[in-house]
Each structure stands twice: as C-alpha cells, then as structure tokens.
Amino acid sequence: MSFLTWCSGMRELSHYILTRGILLSCALLTTALAVFLQARRPSADALLLLAYGDYIQTMACVVLGAGLIGSALMEDILTVSP
C-alpha cells in the first residue's frame, strides 16, 4: 500500500515516466502473447517465433524496470532541487 501512496504523491514528470513505462511494457507483453499464439501453429518458423517471443518478453521486463527506476530517480532529483 505504501507504493500506491507514493505513486499518488508523485510529481507530473515522474508520473509520466512511470505510466509510459508501464504502458509500453503492457504493449510488449501483448505483442509477445500474439507471437506465442502464432508459434503454436505448426510451421517451419515456430522455433524462430518462440525465440522472438522470449526476447520481446524479456524486453518488456527491461522496459518496466527502467521506467520504475527512472521515475524514482526523477522524483528524487525533483525533490532535492530547489
């Protein structure tokens, strides 16, 4: 619950970075789901699609982490600066 309290008190720029990181991560996870569903069909490129889906899923985690860390650092910078 403290995370939600912290998010409600964020400044505008930090909140923007956090929300865009979450939205991009959700878009990447949706794309990975579509790729995995396409890979279920028997075809010659199923292994390649599985590798692409795995990479997209990993990048979604990276984007989410960067958004969380970036928004926390931006909030810290905006709090310290006069």
Side-chain angles (χ1 to χ4, degrees), residues 3 6 17-18 20-26 28-29 57-73:
F3 179 73
W6 178 73
I17 292 171
L18 179 65
R20 294 312 178 257
I22 292 172
L23 289 175
L24 182 58
S25 180
C26 289
L28 285 170
L29 286 174
Q57 189 176 7
T58 303
M59 287 301 107
C61 293
V62 169
V63 166
L64 181 62
L68 288 172
I69 292 171
S71 67
L73 290 175

Side-chain angles (χ1 to χ4, degrees), residues 17-58:
I17 292 171
L18 179 65
T19 55
R20 294 312 178 257
I22 292 172
L23 289 175
L24 182 58
S25 180
C26 289
L28 285 170
L29 286 174
T30 304
T31 304
L33 178 64
V35 170
F36 285 139
L37 289 176
Q38 185 68 27
R40 288 181 60 198
R41 298 183 182 169
S43 63
D45 58 350
L47 292 177
L48 185 62
L49 286 174
L50 287 173
Y52 287 163
D54 186 42
Y55 182 76
I56 294 170
Q57 189 176 7
T58 303

